Amino acid sequence: MSEANNANTFSIDGQRIAFEPGQTILQAALAAGVYIPHLCHHPDLKPHGSCKLCTVVVNGRNGSACTQKAMPGLEVENNSPALNDRRRVLLQMLFVEGNHFCPGCEKSGNCQLQALAYDLEMLTPHFRHAFPVRQVDTSHPDVWLDRNRCVMCELCVRASRDLDGKNVFMLAGRGADSKIVVNSPSGLLGDSELAPDDRAAQVCPVGAILPKRVGYAVPIGQRQFDAQPISRQVDYLAGRHLADAETEVR
Amino acid sequence: MLPRKLRIATTSLSGCFGCHMSFLDIDERLIELAGLVEFDRSPITDIKHCSQRCDVALIEGGVCNAENVHVLRELRANAKTLVALGACAVNGGLPAQRNHLDVGRCLSQVYRTPDGTAAAIPNDPELPLLLDKVYPINEIVRVDYFLPGCPPSGDTIWKFLTDLLTGRTPRIEHPLLKFD
């Protein structure tokens, strides 16, 4: 028994991590309470591999922790200055690619992109800003979509397809012209089947898909990433906060 | 002998003066600071142009018009260390939300009546022309340090200045690092 347990472990920065067969490196790390920066991963959805923030060095080669399976004996390098430098550059690219004016965004303080930038001490977006002009869709009575803040993680696409079964969103276009489009005859959110209770309407990690009329409801200081940096909120990222809340109710 | 006092210049380009107010939020620590630094060109002094080479220039606001460009270049030429203070200087800030609009149409909207007759867009050469877009200052001149926040809190500015004045590389991290 103990031999079998030993077989199903690997190391992250020298720390032993146990894993269940089939888990990815990121899933096993989060389950063990070890933080690996990530943006497009969600515990309830299949891996995507687009944000590249979870890039780790596995046995000497770069790999995405969210897509690479945990294997016995892997040696993973995660929290190194070199990797964090590259993650910071990825964040800077995401910030200049969109219009991320946090001072006027309802998601500020609850935004994973912002929290990652805080945690990796990103002080400037550094690159030349693109200042894109993308359509803002306010046609839905309860939900609105600001494409200028979208980081194209496709969490809404995956949630709508795999959890809601509605296929409301999809990514269209190529390269820098890629954007989220709505699968309705008019292309407008108001003509789609999206409901405010859908997972797709709630899963956005940034301020691109937001509920209407409830902005700025949480006092500054009580927002998700005010008290603790995102790297200390592994339970939240692993989805355990929801399970705990349910247990408390019982 | 006491060390030479460091010279600090400050300015507000396309700013709201909120970063300067947040600077004043270091409260009584200003007295301590006054013992360590002296101020050159700044909204809080009466010096019109940099009187001599400064050690630090704190720049609030993005770059929205021609005069902003001249002021920014003057401070860059006269400062050893130039700091982007606040969200506007760092990434254009909320004023950069005009970047998805045509600047001519913005001016028409504000200065002309709906029938386009009663008022005109100001055209006196004394007034600086608006740029096509609002730019972060690092797209005009080289910037040595960035201090984000809208505004950065008094504590954040104090941490930054004390790091800088004592010769440490400034480090801003949780909970002092905010973009909002």
Side-chain angles (χ1 to χ4, degrees), chain A residues 7 9-10 20 27 47 70 82 92 96 118 122 126 131 145-146 154 176 181 187 225 238 246-247:
Chain A
T9 65
F10 65 104
E20 310 277 331
Q27 283 167 341
Q92 288 170 325
V96 296
Y118 290 166
M122 188 196 97
H126 177 75
F131 292 124
L145 168 65
D146 185 346
E154 288 201 289
V181 293
F225 301 112
E246 279 163 24
T247 319

Side-chain angles (χ1 to χ4, degrees), chain A residues 101 108 118 121 129 223 226-227, chain B residues 93 139 150 171 174 179-180:
Chain A
F101 302 119
S108 190
Y118 290 166
E121 294 180 45
H129 283 73
R223 302 169 303 182
D226 281 339
Chain B
E139 296 190 17
C150 186
R171 185 167 184 194
H174 181 87
F179 296 164
D180 59 354

